Amino acid sequence: MAYHVDDGSTVTDFLPAERARGITIQSAAITFHWPVSKPENRAAVAAIRKPLVPLSPNLEPHTVNLIDTPGHADFTFEVLRSLRVLDGAVCILDGVAGVEAQTEKVWYQAATYKIPKIIYVNKLDRDGAAFGKTVKEIASKLHAWPAVCQIPWFEGGNGRFIGIVDIIGLKALRWPDSGDGKIIKIMGLDELKALEPNLTETARKARTALVELLGDYDDLVIEKYLECNEDHMAILAEDIIAALRRCVLSQSNIVPVFAGASFRNIGVQPLLDAVISLLPSPEESPDPEISAGGTNGGLRQLIQGKMAFTKIGIPSKAKLAVSSKKSPSATISKLESCALAFKVVHDHKRGVLVYVRVYHGIIQRNTMLFNTNLQISERVPRLLEMYASDAVEVASLSTGQIGVVVGLKYTRTGDTLVVYTGANPKSGPPAPLNTLQLRPIEVPPPVFFASIESQSLSDEQTVANSLAILLREDPSLHLSVDEDSGQTLLSGMGELHLEIARDRLVQDLKAKASMGKIEIGYRECILATGGPSTALFDRETAGRSGKAACTASVGPLIETSADAVVGRIDTTFRQDGNAINVDLIRSTEQETESDSSTPSIPSHLSETIIRTALQNGALTALARGPQHGVALHSTHVSTTLDLSTQIFGTDTTPSALTSAARLATQAALKQSFQQVPTVLMEPVMNVIISTDADSLGSVVHDLSSSRGGHIVSLDDADIISAAGSGQTRDDVSLIDMRRVYSPPDPFDATSTLAEDEVSMASNGNRQRTIAARVPLKEMVGYLKHLRSLTGGKGTFVMAVDRFERVGSQREKAVLKDMRGI
């Protein structure tokens, strides 16, 4: 049975919300084998595939773990956590729309993880499909050299899309008008020339361009070219495949490009061959980044005993696991397996499903996993191999596999799981393996929030439990409580993200809750200094006395305001746009009495504990501004603790220090506000909009006039339109468009002119790109408005740029909206 996105039956889009909306919302994993793994089928497959000169020269089956990721900007975290565990990626482009804004963003996200990529240009059977134009956009927008490995075959040059020409194997592949794609008619270029002489000539030019491009990056191709008497067509397909593989694995900025129409099953089998032949196996992937014992390195480097531990940091809970009698090499040799948990799903039938990628060894059923992040052990009751929503129970998961561990109660996204021979279930493996952690998954900050309320008091606990499940599944959702109203606020990446979270909460988890309207997370900023203010906390809590004092002063954040002071132990901590400076000082009296450079600290405290407690207290105070009650931004807090006069022996606990720092900081903020009122700040977004040329003027006018936006550029191919990717003009290699080969498109008569090729690549032909900076408030509901302006053709992506002051003209409206007046 065939499944298609078009009719909402895609296997990997199994959630009701995904099928109703026709989009991918959460990543889905599938494990399959290519070529077919059943021996009785191999002969039949070989008969079909042998004339293809298949990209995979042998027909031995390979296990492929495929993850289908969302394309919508609101679900960026789903893409990030999937990219974190992948060895290679297939970037699927729309042959009609070309390289879209969100494609660029994901492309550069994949680049941060150094993931080898190939490109598949899909939907070439649709009206307006332009393979050549898309190839040019790969160069101009993705800044990669497109290696055209296939060209589309349009019947008669401008008719129906009926197949592809394999530039590597010099074969033409034609699919019937209907069918499941298994029957393919294959012919050589000589036979093709009698039917399509122009297409044959285009194929020869494409082969020449492919060999010359590979020759710029691979010396062995030049040797083969000379051995073949400088005949581009005589080089064997196997040699070109090997050269492409070397270029892809070495991150040489060459990206193989393939063609097809998946709805009609055209080009799918050759694409799977390319996945097997060009993308890396787990052993060929870069060494996974780890930290262990306070040292950074690679997992393979650790296992091979080549990682030098200069300092072993041991969490307090894991100190019992240290054994000085064992050498690090003997300890590491007992590491059976290491895996990363990259996703947690709550399934009604199966319970908690933890998706893991195994980086070393084998995870067996019933083994004990040690979570190095949480310092706890959990047993593996069952292991599953996933096929989207279906699953097959397996006995083990080996290196490189992606699978599911069922029933882990505590494991979260980003946790490292290890299996160690002879480990104590309570304390785990000895150092440094008890601190072994794979590179974590970065969680982007939320930009939208909405209130969540239970329908009755009796439902509060049920709603809280459901929210806990939701946050464990999706760490890009954040939960907080407004101190003024007492409302529970759910924060996310966008409007659709919160809408899907609400549906999941109410419909799937059956929580009796309602969600308020979407709000913006504003900040406020002080303009005057306040303090120094000293606060004394002296209170009995839970039958235990707590006493501590602290001095704090605040001011607008200036980079030079946190200079180190001579004679002090100085540390500056930065978070959420604020800076906290912690100074531990000695009084003058103590300096005269003792020559010691560091004052005595009670045994139950340490410098690290004190600094952390003071930082936490300042952060708590910064969470609520003195005027508008929103979190502060661009604020510098300087906390000072006199170790001789503001610490009171055993009565000074970390919680007492935190409370003292909070009180002192709040007092200093109040002093600042009494001098000069604070100003309101709002998140400003980097917005990249793609629209047709006819709608460009109306979109620009709407952004600059109605929404208070600032246009940064129009159609600047050097600007990375993946907003928030962190890439700059200097981070990418610019492509000389005159050297980029792309086959002519059947309905574009001017595409053969070199000057028009450059012009088309830079101006986008059908699509224009606008880069702008716009207040987030003005982007709420913008997608519907953009579609009405562009007739449904416009799309956009955005990411947080920074917080900026709200203009005086808009501040009244913003305050009115915040207060609900």
Side-chain angles (χ1 to χ4, degrees), residues 107 201 205 244 282 319 361 502 736 746:
W107 182 270
E201 184 60 28
K205 291 180 180 178
L244 278 169
K319 287 184 179 179
R502 179 199 62 196
D736 184 355

Side-chain angles (χ1 to χ4, degrees), residues 130 216 224 324 490 525 527 546 671:
D216 291 339
K224 295 296 181 180
S324 59
L490 184 67
C525 175
L527 299 179
Q671 290 181 22

Side-chain angles (χ1 to χ4, degrees), residues 314-646:
I314 305 167
S316 58
K317 291 183 180 180
K319 287 184 179 179
L320 295 176
V322 180
S323 175
S324 59
K325 297 181 180 179
K326 294 184 179 180
S327 65
S329 58
T331 300
I332 294 167
S333 64
K334 294 185 178 181
L335 179 65
E336 293 185 23
S337 61
C338 179
L340 179 72
F342 68 94
K343 183 174 181 177
V344 180
V345 174
H346 185 275
D347 186 272
H348 289 296
K349 297 180 180 179
R350 303 184 184 98
V352 177
L353 307 180
V354 178
Y355 286 73
V356 297
R357 157 70 195 264
V358 183
Y359 283 96
H360 167 69
I362 299 175
I363 296 179
Q364 303 278 356
R365 185 191 303 153
N366 294 323
T367 57
M368 189 68 74
L369 290 175
F370 182 74
N371 188 319
T372 60
N373 296 77
L374 300 177
Q375 295 290 307
I376 60 173
S377 296
E378 295 187 85
R379 188 169 295 280
V380 180
R382 296 170 61 201
L383 293 171
L384 302 178
E385 202 172 72
M386 297 303 295
Y387 188 78
S389 59
D390 297 327
V392 176
E393 190 159 347
V394 294
S396 63
L397 296 174
S398 58
T399 302
Q401 278 194 284
I402 289 176
V404 166
V405 182
V406 182
L408 300 183
K409 294 182 179 180
Y410 306 105
T411 302
R412 310 158 304 175
T413 296
D415 285 352
T416 299
L417 307 172
V418 300
V419 178
Y420 183 82
T421 303
N424 187 315
K426 293 184 178 181
S427 58
L433 295 183
N434 58 348
T435 60
L436 168 63
Q437 291 185 11
L438 291 157
R439 177 180 176 179
I441 301 172
E442 297 179 4
V443 181
V447 291
F448 286 87
F449 71 89
S451 61
I452 292 285
E453 296 180 0
S454 58
Q455 295 180 1
S456 65
L457 289 175
S458 60
D459 297 325
E460 282 187 354
Q461 188 58 46
T462 303
V463 172
N465 294 338
S466 299
L467 285 171
I469 293 172
L470 203 62
L471 267 62
R472 188 183 179 193
E473 288 186 345
D474 187 356
S476 63
L477 291 170
H478 294 254
L479 207 61
S480 60
V481 177
D482 184 88
E483 290 187 10
D484 261 355
S485 62
Q487 285 184 313
T488 300
L489 303 177
L490 184 67
S491 307
M493 300 299 298
E495 297 172 80
L496 182 59
H497 189 201
L498 290 180
E499 188 178 333
I500 295 299
R502 179 199 62 196
D503 293 345
R504 176 98 172 98
L505 185 68
V506 175
Q507 297 177 10
D508 297 345
L509 300 178
K510 307 300 181 184
K512 295 181 180 180
S514 58
M515 181 179 286
K517 68 174 184 177
I518 294 175
E519 304 286 352
I520 308 299
Y522 291 97
R523 302 287 188 271
E524 59 181 292
C525 175
I526 59 174
L527 299 179
T529 59
S533 176
T534 300
L536 173 65
F537 177 83
D538 188 0
R539 187 178 303 171
E540 187 174 294
T541 305
R544 182 179 179 183
S545 61
K547 186 176 182 181
C550 179
T551 302
S553 59
V554 299
L557 178 60
I558 304 173
E559 292 302 322
T560 57
S561 65
D563 295 335
V565 180
V566 177
R568 296 182 180 180
I569 305 168
D570 183 87
T571 301
T572 300
F573 173 75
R574 296 177 181 273
Q575 183 170 313
D576 297 332
N578 300 305
I580 301 172
N581 199 57
V582 177
D583 295 333
L584 307 182
I585 66 172
R586 296 178 297 158
S587 65
T588 306
E589 292 78 4
Q590 185 171 354
E591 288 183 18
T592 59
E593 294 173 1
S594 174
D595 294 330
S596 175
S597 59
T598 303
S600 60
I601 297 175
S603 58
H604 67 286
L605 298 176
S606 67
E607 292 179 8
T608 302
I609 292 174
I610 292 173
R611 289 196 185 99
T612 302
L614 296 178
Q615 289 167 2
N616 291 338
L619 284 174
T620 303
L622 291 172
R624 184 176 177 79
Q627 182 173 358
H628 303 296
V630 297
L632 284 148
H633 194 275
S634 301
T635 302
H636 174 227
V637 181
S638 179
T639 60
T640 304
L641 182 73
D642 191 320
L643 297 175
S644 59
T645 62
Q646 295 181 326

